[in-house]
Each structure stands twice: as structure tokens, then as C-alpha cells.
Amino acid sequence: MDKTITLSDIAHNPNCMDDYDPNSMPVKKARQFIKQFLEPVTATETLNLCDSLGRILATDILSPSDVPNYDNSAMDGYALSAADLTAAELKVIGTAFAGKAFNGVVNSGECVRIMTGAVMPQGTDTVVMQERTNRDGDYIKIAEAPKPRTNVRYAGEDLQLGQTVLNKGHLIRPADLGLLASLGIAQVNVYRKLKVAFFSTGDELVGIGQPLASGQVYDSNRYTLHGMLARLGVEIIDLGAIADDRNRLERTLLNAAETADVVITSGGVSVGEADYMKALLSQHGQVMFWKIAMKPGRPLAYGKIGSAHYFGLPGNPVAVMVTFYQFVRDALLCLMGQTEIKPLPTFTVECTAPIKKLSGRTEFQRGILFHDENGAWKVKPTGPQGSAILSSMSLANCFIVLDVTVGNLDAGAMVQVQVMDGLV
Ligand code: AMP
Ligand code: MG
């Protein structure tokens, strides 16, 4: 794609881009297209270590010391010099505990009883496991000698002073909290939270807790979006459900674009008569409307309103979730400052039931990964795959991703699955 073409050029004249067909946009191309307009947040804040979980590092972390920063025993046993591994017997001259070192010097013919984590006494470089010795009063005999210099954790073995431990742009996970703590780091500099505003659109939507009249549905998109955004760790601005009323939609949209970095709406981007969003977006932003070659989730809008990024997701509940995971998730992680955005874990497994699929579009069917009686992972579809059948998402633990070229499949076909659990 030509980087010199601006979003505004394309929004106002889709034909200016040769390989851009708004009526049949491949999933991959739409993703790449969005990517070129994403500029991560730059403001940062300093947080206490525990509060930084799920946030993105704004600076490289260098190790302020060696880890471990002294040679210590990896076992409960006896510390000695490797030269004494063949001695007939050794005299035990003291004990070294974790946090309470043995301060003497160990000479030839001597050893020290040592606990895991204790500093290796001067004159020793090897630990014999307690179970491999026979003790008799103040003396031990080695029943089975280890290799020289084993059972010791040497200084700098894990991390060395000055080494880059974590890179700027890294998403902080539980292991990282421990790693940073092991370096004595109490505070970290992270990017500020991304602000994401969202609202649902539609005259038929009713909030939970209200009675439902004929022709109305509860606004479920608001809750799936809340859940998916909460997992990503962004600041959520929930603007509720807005009826198909041009003025209310306009006010809400402009308010959202002013307060948030990203605005997400669901519904109203298809071609229904009451779909005012399209007109509003062409008036106030540079937004492209695509018919993505995918199912579910055909209509999708992306663009900018002022400085805010805009994602217009379809109204159908499953389509909202699929388009969020396939387009919005990556984009938000990038805007949050994450540099190495990993795709959802994908692997190939046997599908135990036949699959109906039209070629010419990518399908994201909902599947259940399970292991069969032999312990092999296999997948089966959840059942009916309509884009309004939200129970399919609830039942599923993966997407069965069926590429554009794939058609109907018989039971036993190998398919690609994208694991949903553990998604951020
Ligand atoms: P739309 O894209 O606005 O034409 O909506 C497509 C379908 O999704 C319609 O059946 C809507 O009733 C339904 N829908 C739209 N928004 C929501 C929502 N927030 N919660 C549940 N269903 C919705
Ligand atoms: Mg609607």
C-alpha cells in the first residue's frame, strides 16, 4: 500500500488506491491498512510494581546487579572443593544457612553442611547432595560424587549487571513482576492507559434490568465490549446505548472523539434505513466503510474522527466479538505502546464434524477444542454458526479459521484453530 496516500484521500475517493476494494476487503489487507495509521501513546507514568501488571513498559529495564549476586548452593548438602571429591572422608567444620553465611575458610579435607540458597563458603566450589553422603559424627563419606562445580548457582548466572532484562514496549506479566522484584526494582515507568470510549446503537436496544417489549433486544454488545476491553487493561468510557436518532448519535460521537483515544461503536454501519452513523462519520471524520470478505463481520468501518481512531463494528453480537479480536485487539495493543504484538495462538488440528463453508471469504467459526480418548487435541464446531448466536461464543474456546480458498469440509479434515482462552 502506498504510504503517501492519506486516510482523508481514501475516505473521500476510495478509487485512488489500486488494491483497495471496499466491497470485498480481505481480512489481512484490512489489518495491514489499519496498522499504518496507528501511533502509540507517548505519555508515561510511574507506578508501584504491583500496579504495573498488564501495562506496557515505557523504558528498557537494565539489571542493576548480577542475579544471583553471589555464588550459592542449589541443594541441601555439603560444600567442598572439587579437588576433595575423591577424599576418603571429610570433616564437617560448620553450617551455612540461606541468609546466615559460614564465615570461615574451608581447607583441603574439610567441608561445610550447606542449605539451598546459602552463600558458598570460601574455598568451596561444589555441593554434594545430602542424599549422596553418609555421615558419621563430624565426618562424611561421599557415596556418589557429582561432577566438579555442580549444584552451585553462580553469580550472574540468571542476569548480569547492565544486561537489558525487559524491553520498552513489553507487556508486563506476572513473571515480570517477580523478575523486576528480584532486581529490587520497586517502581516502573509505563505508558499511560489508552482511553477507549464505546457505545451501542439501535432503537431496539434495551438496557439490562428493564422489561423487554416486543421487537426489543437487550444490549449485549455493551457487555462483550466491556469484557474484552477490560481484559486489555484500557481505560473504559462506556457511553451506553444510543437510539437511532441523528442528533443524539452526533452528540455522543463527537463527545467520545474528544475525550478518548479510540471510539468503538456497534451497529449502524451496514445499509439499513436507520443507519445514521455512516452519514455522521463522513461529515465529521475520515472513515472508510468496508465489506470485509469474512463471516461473521462483513461490515466494518475504520478511520479517524479528529485525533481519535474510530472502529465501527457490526451490530450482530458474534460479529462484534469476531471483528474485535481480528482487527481491534491488535490495533489497541499497538496504540497502548506494545511493540511485539503476538497473534492469537494458532495451530492445526483434526475437526471431528463436517463443516459448511463458502469459498471466497474467511470464516471464523466457533469451535470447541477437546482431547479425545487418546489424549489428542481435536476440534468440533459449537453448532449453528449464525452471527446472532452469541451462545456459540460462550460455548467456544477457539475460532476455527477457514481461509478464503477453503470450501465445505468432511469430518476428519485438518483445520486451523485460534485459541481464545488467555486472550488479552
Ligand atoms: P445493525 O448492524 O445495527 O443493522 O444490527 C444488526 C443486528 O444486530 C440487528 O439484529 C440488531 O438488533 C443487532 N444488534 C445491534 N446492536 C446490538 C446490541 N448492542 N446488542 C444486541 N444486539 C444488537
Ligand atoms: Mg441498528
Side-chain angles (χ1 to χ4, degrees):
M1 266 167 228
D2 190 342
K3 286 239 173 200
T4 57
I5 296 176
T6 67
L7 196 54
S8 171
D9 294 336
I10 303 162
H12 291 116
N13 177 19
N15 297 329
C16 74
M17 222 170 81
D18 287 348
D19 57 354
Y20 169 83
D21 177 2
N23 289 316
S24 171
M25 187 66 150
V27 173
K28 256 192 206 149
K29 205 191 261 185
R31 243 187 235 138
Q32 276 170 12
F33 184 84
I34 293 169
K35 212 169 162 188
Q36 66 186 316
F37 297 105
L38 304 175
E39 284 196 8
V41 294
T42 50
T44 67
E45 58 183 325
T46 299
L47 297 179
N48 287 333
L49 186 56
C50 282
D51 298 330
S52 71
L53 184 65
R55 302 294 293 272
I56 316 283
L57 274 177
T59 48
D60 287 344
I61 301 282
L62 306 184
S63 181
S65 62
D66 281 340
V67 177
N69 68 14
Y70 50 85
D71 297 346
N72 67 90
S73 177
M75 298 282 175
D76 291 339
Y78 294 90
L80 46 92
S81 159
D84 275 347
L85 280 168
T86 50
E89 61 175 13
L90 293 164
K91 184 170 188 204
V92 184
I93 60 166
T95 305
F97 296 95
K100 216 188 285 172
F102 171 81
N103 290 321
V105 179
V106 180
N107 295 308
S108 176
E110 296 174 345
C111 67
V112 163
R113 169 116 175 84
I114 195 162
M115 309 303 164
T116 305
V119 180
M120 289 296 286
Q122 209 181 324
T124 69
D125 60 7
T126 304
V127 172
V128 185
M129 278 167 75
Q130 184 175 305
E131 297 85 333
R132 309 269 154 85
T133 61
N134 296 309
R135 183 147 180 176
D136 184 6
D138 280 346
Y139 287 84
I140 60 158
K141 284 195 171 72
I142 299 172
E144 201 183 315
K147 290 203 178 99
R149 295 172 60 79
T150 50
N151 301 328
V152 180
R153 302 187 285 218
Y154 287 98
E157 180 179 283
D158 185 357
L159 302 169
Q160 286 174 6
L161 170 72
Q163 179 185 335
T164 303
V165 177
L166 294 172
N167 289 301
K168 173 177 163 169
H170 178 83
L171 175 96
I172 301 175
R173 299 170 307 135
D176 304 321
L177 293 184
L179 184 65
L180 291 164
S182 78
L183 300 173
I185 294 173
Q187 294 195 312
V188 285
N189 195 233
V190 298
Y191 290 114
R192 73 159 170 85
K193 274 196 176 183
L194 193 71
K195 288 186 207 146
V196 182
F198 66 98
F199 58 95
S200 310
T201 69
D203 279 336
E204 74 281 31
L205 303 180
V206 175
I208 52 177
Q210 311 287 318
L212 208 56
S214 159
Q216 296 183 320
V217 291
Y218 286 117
D219 174 6
S220 57
N221 293 345
R222 185 175 174 186
Y223 295 88
T224 43
L225 277 171
H226 174 94
M228 294 185 291
L229 289 168
R231 276 227 176 149
L232 278 179
V234 298
E235 186 179 323
I236 295 171
I237 305 167
D238 179 352
L239 299 171
I242 311 295
D244 291 314
D245 170 296
R246 198 181 192 284
N247 292 336
R248 283 197 60 206
L249 286 169
E250 184 171 37
R251 270 201 310 277
T252 313
L253 187 68
L254 294 181
N255 166 33
E258 257 170 42
T259 43
D261 301 300
V262 180
V263 179
I264 302 175
T265 62
S266 72
V269 290
S270 51
V271 285
E273 277 180 31
D275 292 335
Y276 295 112
M277 288 302 286
K278 252 186 161 165
L280 284 173
L281 291 162
S282 350
Q283 186 185 340
H284 294 290
Q286 295 113 41
V287 177
M288 278 146 301
F289 298 89
W290 291 321
K291 286 193 176 67
I292 308 274
M294 71 186 274
K295 189 187 170 206
R298 200 156 144 70
L300 182 81
Y302 166 74
K304 295 203 78 177
I305 308 165
S307 60
H309 292 268
Y310 171 76
F311 290 92
L313 308 186
N316 274 310
V318 180
V320 166
M321 296 197 76
V322 173
T323 48
F324 184 93
Y325 283 134
Q326 300 303 326
F327 301 102
V328 186
R329 172 186 175 270
D330 280 16
L332 294 186
L333 288 170
C334 176
L335 291 171
M336 287 161 72
Q338 192 174 339
T339 42
E340 273 182 30
I341 299 161
K342 297 189 183 75
L344 307 182
T346 301
F347 56 102
T348 305
V349 293
E350 183 188 324
C351 183
T352 57
I355 283 185
K356 277 192 144 180
K357 153 83 168 61
L358 275 183
S359 65
R361 64 191 188 196
T362 308
E363 289 196 15
F364 296 88
Q365 298 203 6
R366 276 74 66 207
I368 301 169
L369 265 174
F370 65 99
H371 42 271
D372 69 4
E373 61 280 6
N374 301 318
W377 283 101
K378 293 190 173 164
V379 69
K380 59 183 176 195
T382 52
Q385 295 286 325
S387 58
I389 300 179
L390 193 50
S391 59
S392 70
M393 276 302 292
S394 191
L395 276 171
N397 56 11
C398 69
F399 288 119
I400 303 172
V401 185
L402 304 160
D403 230 350
V404 186
T405 52
V406 174
N408 289 338
L409 294 174
D410 293 331
M414 299 303 282
V415 293
Q416 281 225 308
V417 293
Q418 245 175 15
V419 181
M420 285 180 196
D421 281 334
L423 290 190
V424 286

